[in-house]
Amino acid sequence: MTVLGFKLLKVKGHSMFPKIPQNSYVLVNQWLNLWRIKPDQTILIKHQTLGLIIKTVALIDRYGFIWSKGENPSSLTVERIGPVDKHQIIGKVLMIIKQ
């Protein structure tokens, strides 16, 4: 559901546990022009092969590509997720509503 640039999503999977447990909800701010992407922020990405994923920004390389990671040791590695362009970022997670 999206209202006024905010999106509410239910989280499926364990890749962000313990920060975001499975079946929690996240509130995402889609107004990208209001904030700068920085390491350690939690973001919603439209990944080319993985679909919609929530990850933590690991680093931004010198070319402006964003490398992200899951919070769980069993999550995909930064290298397996690969770099994404800023245009693939849908928004920043503002709030986590844990179940």
Side-chain angles (χ1 to χ4, degrees):
M1 165 171 60
T2 303
V3 177
L4 297 173
F6 293 93
K7 185 180 276 290
L8 186 65
L9 298 167
K10 187 172 185 176
V11 176
K12 298 177 184 173
H14 299 284
S15 71
M16 291 298 288
F17 181 82
K19 186 175 188 175
I20 307 175
Q22 179 169 293
N23 296 320
S24 296
Y25 289 87
V26 291
L27 181 64
V28 177
N29 175 351
Q30 295 182 278
W31 298 342
L32 294 176
N33 57 348
L34 296 180
W35 52 273
R36 209 173 103 223
I37 298 170
K38 301 180 217 168
D40 296 321
Q41 288 180 330
T42 305
I43 57 174
L44 177 64
I45 302 167
K46 185 174 183 181
H47 196 277
Q48 289 180 332
T49 56
L50 301 172
L52 279 181
I53 57 174
I54 297 173
K55 298 295 176 195
T56 300
V57 176
L59 65 99
I60 301 166
D61 68 22
R62 64 182 178 163
Y63 302 106
F65 288 104
I66 297 129
W67 295 77
S68 58
K69 63 180 180 175
E71 295 292 324
N72 193 302
S74 66
S75 180
L76 294 173
T77 63
V78 173
E79 295 80 16
R80 294 255 338 255
I81 296 169
V84 295
D85 186 79
K86 184 174 181 172
H87 295 76
Q88 292 173 264
I89 308 300
I90 293 173
K92 174 183 172 185
V93 173
L94 294 179
M95 180 187 299
I96 302 163
I97 304 162
K98 297 180 180 179
Q99 288 285 349

